[in-house]
């Protein structure tokens, strides 16, 4: 089936971030039509019926989330746009913000109209200076054109968008950490419930949505639900909890590939096809050994592990909301696919991963603060050739016990810290055992750095 990108359709046009070019391509006509012809509830209903699920990591149905806001709330309702984008090797939001900011802004306008919000906060990863400046210029153009501000086009609808630069930590992307940070505090995630839809920014009802989710809102409202549902993967009839994986998706390809890049494809491409057809294959004529299917926190796919009753391997799983879970990964996450080649030590890779999560734990919950630190210490010991036989079981036990899923922590950072550890040890145990037996003499003489195109 041929596929025309829509989210990335404009990124190579000259002056793609400018309002004039966006207008020439039909931009903002969808928002203006919605203002004139649709009630806010109708926009929410369409987004809900489209089956759009959040692109920020958890895959929560977008329209459904909007319906959680209290009905007829008299005070302010806020939209927080999550552009913190700190999951390693993830850069799809950056491409949208730098190359087609108006597509994202139109999604924000439609979302705010739907949820009756007059104020959106755009929380941008601090390191994204270009995205920040590009977006501010685009917001200024919208105010000058009467697309933002009071009584937009005489509709009675007011909307302001404020950009807010992030505080430079991974935890600022967790939705309640983001809200705390926006309020000027340390980004310590809040205990839930209450969820932000009931009590969020400044203790008022708040929706938090990812940048790509909001770009998808623009496309859903522009092209309709039949188009959106014609792409991707319908719900699995054997799984009553599956809401399907519809629509186009941005995948970032990084690590040991020939051509790291961000591509737009219908949901459900296999890892193998993504790497071979779009990432230029594994670099230096080597083979892939492991893959993170959606950011480090999703854990590892073992490229050579056969799927049950099949000639296919874990490399052939589809990258939809369900696929990675079928091979013990946490989920699709940010759809940032990082490839690790067969000349790279999994002990070194895991060491790198553990350093990241230990550094980024906010420290509020003892199991996360101590668990991520101890996992790093143990992997560090393995790497230096001082590993003990019992270390592998300890690592698996710790990684199984820290997290919001086992119910021991406030947020999901610790689940994300545990998943790469447990999948690496369970799937590549022989390599870790060899590291213990070899006393530091690894066949992987020179550790190769992980290369991410986005950072
Ligand atoms: C540690 C951590 C970091 C996160 N970082 C981001 C992020 O950078 N961007 C993002 O959109 N969601 C991030 N999330 C998920 C958000 O909490 C939230 O689910 C998401 O912004 C909701 O948007 P969506 O429904 O449009 O996907 C993170 C979650 C955790 C636990
Ligand atoms: S799980 Fe970790 S990152 Fe999340 S609130 Fe607790 S200590 Fe902080």
């Amino acid at each position: 089936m041929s596929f025309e990108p829509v989210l990335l359709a404009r990124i190579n046009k000259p002056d793609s971030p400018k309002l004039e070019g966006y207008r020439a391509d039909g931009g903002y006509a969808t928002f203006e039509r919605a203002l004139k012809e649709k009630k806010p509830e109708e926009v929410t209903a369409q987004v809900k019926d489209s089956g759009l699920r959040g692109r920020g990591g958890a895959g929560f149905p977008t329209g459904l989330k909007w319906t959680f806001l209290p009905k007829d709330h008299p005070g302010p309702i806020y939209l927080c746009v999550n552009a913190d984008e700190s999951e390693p090797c993830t850069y799809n939001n950056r491409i949208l913000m730098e190359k087609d900011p108006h597509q994202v802004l139109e999604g924000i306008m439609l979302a705010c109209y739907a949820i009756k919000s007059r104020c959106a906060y755009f929380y941008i990863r601090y390191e994204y200076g270009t995205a920040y400046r590009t977006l501010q210029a685009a917001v200024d153009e919208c105010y000058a054109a009467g697309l933002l501000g009071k009584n937009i086009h005489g509709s009675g609808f007011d909307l302001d968008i404020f950009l807010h630069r992030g505080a430079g930590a991974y935890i600022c992307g967790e939705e309640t950490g983001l809200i705390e940070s926006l309020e000027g505090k340390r980004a310590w995630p809040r205990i839930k419930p209450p969820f932000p839809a009931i009590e969020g920014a400044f203790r008022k009802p708040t929706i938090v949505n990812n940048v790509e989710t909001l770009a998808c809102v623009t496309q859903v409202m522009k092209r309709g639900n039949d188009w959106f549902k014609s792409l991707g993967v319908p719900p699995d009839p054997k799984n009553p909890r599956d809401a399907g994986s519809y629509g186009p998706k941005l995948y970032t390809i990084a690590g040991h590939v020939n051509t790291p890049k961000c591509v737009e494809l219908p949901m459900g491409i296999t890892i193998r096809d993504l790497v071979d057809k779009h990432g230029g294959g594994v670099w230096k004529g080597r083979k892939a050994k492991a893959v993170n299917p959606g950011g480090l926190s999703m854990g590892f796919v073992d490229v050579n592990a056969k799927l049950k009753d099949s000639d296919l391997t874990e490399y052939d799983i589809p990258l939809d909301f369900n696929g990675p879970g079928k091979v013990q990964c946490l989920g699709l996450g940010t759809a940032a696919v990082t490839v690790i080649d067969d000349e790279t030590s999994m002990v070194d890779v895991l060491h790198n991963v553990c350093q990241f999560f230990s550094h980024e734990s906010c420290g509020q919950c003892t199991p996360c603060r101590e668990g991520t630190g101890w996992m790093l210490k143990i992997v560090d010991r393995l790497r230096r050739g001082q590993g003990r036989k019992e270390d592998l079981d300890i690592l698996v036990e710790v990684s199984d016990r820290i997290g919001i899923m086992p119910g021991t922590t406030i947020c999901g950072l610790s689940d994300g810290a545990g998943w790469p550890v447990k999948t690496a040890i369970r799937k590549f145990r022989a390599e870790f055992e060899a590291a213990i037996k070899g006393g530091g003499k690894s066949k992987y003489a020179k550790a190769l750095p992980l290369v991410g195109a986005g950072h």
Side-chain angles (χ1 to χ4, degrees), residues 54-56 65 82 84-86 170 173-175 208-210 213:
R55 281 15 184 179
K65 190 195 277 190
N82 194 340
D84 195 57
E85 192 161 74
S86 309
Y170 177 59
E174 196 279 341
E175 57 186 1
V208 183
N209 273 138
N210 172 264
T213 310

Side-chain angles (χ1 to χ4, degrees), residues 53-62 65 80 82-87 93 170-176 178 192 208-214 334 411-414:
R53 292 172 64 178
R55 281 15 184 179
F60 196 85
T62 305
K65 190 195 277 190
C80 287
N82 194 340
D84 195 57
E85 192 161 74
S86 309
E87 182 74 33
N93 289 180
Y170 177 59
I171 198 59
C172 296
E174 196 279 341
E175 57 186 1
T176 58
L178 181 152
K192 290 152 270 202
V208 183
N209 273 138
N210 172 264
V211 168
E212 187 185 333
T213 310
L214 291 159
T334 60
C411 91
L413 182 141
S414 41

Side-chain angles (χ1 to χ4, degrees), residues 256 287-293 296 298-304 314 329 338-355 375-376 378-380 382-384 392 395 419-436 442-448 450:
H256 300 156
K287 293 199 166 91
K289 172 159 80 175
V291 174
N292 288 123
L296 292 185
M298 295 300 113
F300 293 101
V301 160
D302 176 355
V303 166
N304 297 307
E314 292 188 3
C329 289
T338 308
V339 176
I340 291 144
D341 75 24
D342 59 353
E343 294 199 19
T344 303
S345 157
M346 286 307 287
V347 183
D348 289 340
V349 171
L350 197 59
H351 186 259
N352 196 345
V353 171
C354 288
Q355 267 185 318
M375 291 196 301
L376 172 61
I378 296 173
V379 178
D380 191 50
L382 292 174
R383 194 165 180 247
R384 282 187 284 110
L392 302 185
L395 279 172
W419 240 268
V421 173
K422 67 181 90 169
T423 48
I425 307 279
R426 287 186 177 133
K427 296 184 181 190
F428 299 93
R429 192 169 178 112
E431 201 180 315
F432 285 88
E433 285 173 345
I436 295 171
S442 162
K443 68 173 179 169
Y444 305 100
K446 282 189 220 129
L448 290 166
L450 284 178

Side-chain angles (χ1 to χ4, degrees), residues 397-428:
E397 191 181 338
V398 174
S399 62
D400 272 341
R401 289 190 184 188
I402 60 172
I404 205 164
M405 288 163 85
T408 58
T409 62
I410 293 173
C411 91
L413 182 141
S414 41
D415 303 74
W419 240 268
V421 173
K422 67 181 90 169
T423 48
I425 307 279
R426 287 186 177 133
K427 296 184 181 190
F428 299 93

Side-chain angles (χ1 to χ4, degrees), residues 174-429:
E174 196 279 341
E175 57 186 1
T176 58
L178 181 152
I179 288 169
E180 287 282 302
S181 173
L182 178 73
E183 291 179 1
K185 291 174 266 172
R186 183 186 293 195
W188 272 7
R190 295 178 183 169
I191 294 174
K192 290 152 270 202
F195 288 94
I198 303 299
E199 195 179 295
F202 311 105
R203 304 284 163 186
K204 301 294 176 202
T206 300
I207 292 297
V208 183
N209 273 138
N210 172 264
V211 168
E212 187 185 333
T213 310
L214 291 159
C216 284
V217 167
T218 304
Q219 299 302 334
V220 163
M221 294 309 297
K222 180 175 179 181
R223 293 164 200 276
N225 291 2
D226 289 346
W227 163 79
F228 195 74
K229 287 191 158 169
S230 72
L231 300 171
V233 183
D236 176 356
K238 290 189 213 133
N239 180 358
R241 296 175 62 195
D242 180 22
S245 303
Y246 292 116
K249 179 80 197 81
L250 301 187
Y251 295 95
T252 54
I253 318 171
H256 300 156
V257 292
N258 284 313
T259 49
K261 65 157 97 113
C262 176
V263 283
E264 177 182 351
L265 293 162
M267 277 263 190
I269 184 165
T270 65
I271 301 177
R272 189 186 296 278
D273 280 352
L274 188 74
V275 173
D276 288 349
K277 295 186 185 157
H278 301 276
V282 182
W283 73 357
K284 303 184 181 179
R286 295 178 191 166
K287 293 199 166 91
K289 172 159 80 175
V291 174
N292 288 123
L296 292 185
S297 56
M298 295 300 113
F300 293 101
V301 160
D302 176 355
V303 166
N304 297 307
K306 282 260 163 72
L307 298 177
K308 202 168 162 237
D309 303 327
S310 166
D311 288 336
L312 302 176
T313 77
E314 292 188 3
Y315 206 29
D316 297 292
I317 55 147
L319 290 164
D320 56 32
F321 286 114
N322 265 346
K326 288 183 184 154
V327 293
Q328 295 81 50
C329 289
L330 188 49
L332 182 63
T334 60
V337 172
T338 308
V339 176
I340 291 144
D341 75 24
D342 59 353
E343 294 199 19
T344 303
S345 157
M346 286 307 287
V347 183
D348 289 340
V349 171
L350 197 59
H351 186 259
N352 196 345
V353 171
C354 288
Q355 267 185 318
F356 175 77
F357 287 106
S358 167
H359 184 261
E360 296 298 333
S361 167
C362 85
Q364 275 192 99
C365 319
T366 308
C368 174
R369 183 186 64 242
E370 301 301 317
T372 53
W374 280 106
M375 291 196 301
L376 172 61
K377 283 193 178 106
I378 296 173
V379 178
D380 191 50
R381 188 157 74 210
L382 292 174
R383 194 165 180 247
R384 282 187 284 110
Q386 293 163 355
R388 302 172 311 188
K389 228 172 94 201
E390 61 270 29
D391 280 346
L392 302 185
D393 292 337
I394 295 172
L395 279 172
V396 171
E397 191 181 338
V398 174
S399 62
D400 272 341
R401 289 190 184 188
I402 60 172
I404 205 164
M405 288 163 85
T408 58
T409 62
I410 293 173
C411 91
L413 182 141
S414 41
D415 303 74
W419 240 268
V421 173
K422 67 181 90 169
T423 48
I425 307 279
R426 287 186 177 133
K427 296 184 181 190
F428 299 93
R429 192 169 178 112

Side-chain angles (χ1 to χ4, degrees), residues 114-133:
I115 65 172
K116 301 179 185 164
S117 168
R118 292 162 173 233
C119 176
Y121 292 105
F122 207 132
Y123 188 101
I124 309 172
R125 180 185 167 131
Y126 182 78
E127 294 86 341
Y128 281 0
T130 305
Y132 169 72
R133 286 184 289 276

